[in-house]
Amino acid sequence: EWPLRPGIRYLPQDIFGHDVETTSVEMWRITDSSYEEYPRELYGQFYSNESFIIRWAYRVMQGGKKQDHDTGRDRAAFFFWQGADCTIKEKGKSAFLTVKVDSALIPL
């Protein structure tokens, strides 16, 4: 099951007692010319001949509550996944388009 789902909380011990709550996840599949939204029912399914961009939106909470300026804000992290059988061109495009998607979607 896809671990990054809205409302799921992570309790990592290495971020000073803060909880991390997923607020949303979006995925795009790299195509020949650009990128396209990936169907939610396929989230978590990656293929060796494809590349993907993933946007993980989350909120850092202290003790489950919004506390100070470092907690309670919406944040996002972008990742790209490159299948082992992707071409060099597809791998380069996934890195380039990750920056493009980041610029288009930020600020949250």
Side-chain angles (χ1 to χ4, degrees):
E1 186 168 321
W2 182 247
L4 298 177
R5 296 184 314 274
I8 298 298
R9 288 189 177 220
Y10 300 92
L11 305 173
Q13 300 301 315
D14 60 344
I15 61 168
F16 310 106
H18 291 72
D19 297 348
V20 178
E21 178 181 14
T22 298
T23 56
S24 69
V25 176
E26 295 173 273
M27 283 183 66
W28 297 271
R29 186 177 67 85
I30 305 300
T31 65
D32 288 335
S33 59
S34 189
Y35 57 94
E36 63 187 18
E37 285 191 46
Y38 199 56
R40 287 199 180 276
E41 62 271 12
L42 297 178
Y43 278 20
Q45 296 180 30
F46 299 92
Y47 300 95
S48 66
N49 63 339
E50 295 184 322
S51 292
F52 298 88
I53 299 169
I54 301 104
R55 176 182 179 262
W56 174 45
Y58 63 97
R59 183 175 298 127
V60 177
M61 311 285 273
Q62 186 168 349
K65 301 176 189 174
K66 294 181 183 181
Q67 295 273 332
D68 57 36
H69 72 283
D70 287 332
T71 60
R73 295 181 313 179
D74 289 332
R75 302 171 188 215
F78 288 83
F79 306 92
F80 56 87
W81 187 88
Q82 301 170 334
D85 300 321
C86 284
T87 65
I88 296 295
K89 184 177 178 181
E90 289 170 325
K91 289 179 180 181
K93 190 183 293 184
S94 68
F96 174 78
L97 289 175
T98 299
V99 174
K100 184 176 177 180
V101 169
D102 181 18
S103 298
L105 293 176
I106 298 298
L108 291 173

